[in-house]
Amino acid sequence: MGFFKRKEEHIDPDNLPKHIGIIMDGNGRWASRRGLPRNVGHRSGAQTLKKITTLCSEMGVRALTVYAFSTENWKRPKAEVDHLMLLLKEYLSKAEEELAGKDNRIRVIGDITPFSEELKQLIAHIHKLTEHQTGLTLNIALNYGGRNEIVAAVRHIVQSGVKADEVDEALVEQYLYTAENPPVDLIIRPSGEMRLSNFLLWQSAYAELWFSNVLWPDFNEKHLRQAILEYQKRHRRYGGI
Ligand code: IPE
Ligand code: IPE
Ligand code: MG
């Protein structure tokens, strides 16, 4: 039967996506299908994030931006929002010990003003602790919305007194949360939904998109490899030929 076995494909290390965005979706459905509370799905999703961050870092991906809580997710029942905040606190508190020996830089992107003082302090601590790391940058998008990010950028530009004819795409990009990162090459969305849900709207202009029915807690190395292999087969024209 060996004749029919497909040759294993290899990821080309010279054509890796430099920056990957992931919409970590499907935690609730993962739990419901098992008759478990949605919170269990979120907890499981947080474990997946740790594994995928390590894999991306080992592969040599430069930046990973993950959608953890959108500006629209406040619409959820208070108990679910509270649990997500708790999970976040746990994740960031443990990040310090888990980071030991790793070279990853962690940043939280989004509007953190409505978060508790404790959470804000944890975020500031993690930023400071990892700001000089030179490996993968993990951007955790919290209370993030692509439209909100663009509005915030426009506000900053106006406040800084820039003249209208000095505004161009490069300038706007300097005011986005991802200004220091390479352009987003690949956006991954598990869970079967085929939309961006307000994630990286500006940055996705020429990103490659990869969708899958797998639910985020089940997302593993195999799926990451599939997404990257498919990315490497795409012909990125950027409007050219
Ligand atoms: C994504 O999983 C996590 C967050 C939005 C916080 P969901 O909670 O949206 O899971 P589904 O889409 O209901 O399955
Ligand atoms: C997008 O997922 C937000 C996150 C994964 C954090 P949602 O579950 O909120 O998106 P919709 O509601 O299906 O568009
Ligand atoms: Mg969802």
Side-chain angles (χ1 to χ4, degrees), residues 23-33 38 41-42 45 67-70 73 76 80 84 189-191 193 195 215-217:
I23 301 172
M24 304 189 290
D25 196 19
N27 296 347
R29 279 164 282 175
W30 182 90
S32 302
R33 281 178 199 174
R38 292 175 61 86
H42 293 314
Y67 208 7
F69 192 88
S70 76
N73 287 148
R76 296 188 178 204
E80 181 166 345
L84 283 166
R189 181 165 194 164
S191 93
E193 311 301 348
R195 54 177 171 261
L215 301 174
W216 175 247

Side-chain angles (χ1 to χ4, degrees), residues 72-185:
E72 288 75 34
N73 287 148
W74 298 104
K75 290 179 193 158
R76 296 188 178 204
K78 186 173 180 299
E80 181 166 345
V81 172
D82 287 349
H83 189 86
L84 283 166
M85 294 300 148
L86 183 79
L87 206 59
L88 197 62
K89 216 161 60 188
E90 280 180 26
Y91 190 92
L92 291 174
S93 324
K94 282 194 200 135
E96 185 163 351
E97 51 185 276
E98 283 174 9
L99 279 168
K102 292 187 187 154
D103 198 20
N104 299 342
R105 193 159 72 116
I106 300 191
R107 286 173 66 236
V108 168
I109 65 169
D111 176 12
I112 64 162
T113 43
F115 292 163
S116 70
E117 265 321 301
E118 192 188 2
L119 207 48
K120 282 184 200 160
Q121 277 177 18
L122 264 173
I123 292 169
H125 178 65
I126 278 291
H127 279 187
K128 201 160 185 317
L129 197 73
T130 65
E131 67 186 341
H132 299 302
Q133 307 278 52
T134 54
L136 172 129
T137 296
L138 172 66
N139 294 318
I140 306 177
L142 291 176
N143 193 23
Y144 171 90
R147 290 179 175 180
N148 185 282
E149 177 182 35
I150 295 169
V151 170
V154 172
R155 281 198 182 143
H156 279 132
I157 291 171
V158 172
Q159 277 162 1
S160 63
V162 173
K163 293 197 192 78
D165 58 5
E166 285 167 8
V167 178
D168 58 14
E169 293 183 10
L171 182 87
V172 174
E173 259 167 13
Q174 280 172 31
Y175 286 85
L176 300 179
Y177 293 120
T178 51
E180 290 170 27
N181 305 131
V184 178
D185 291 317

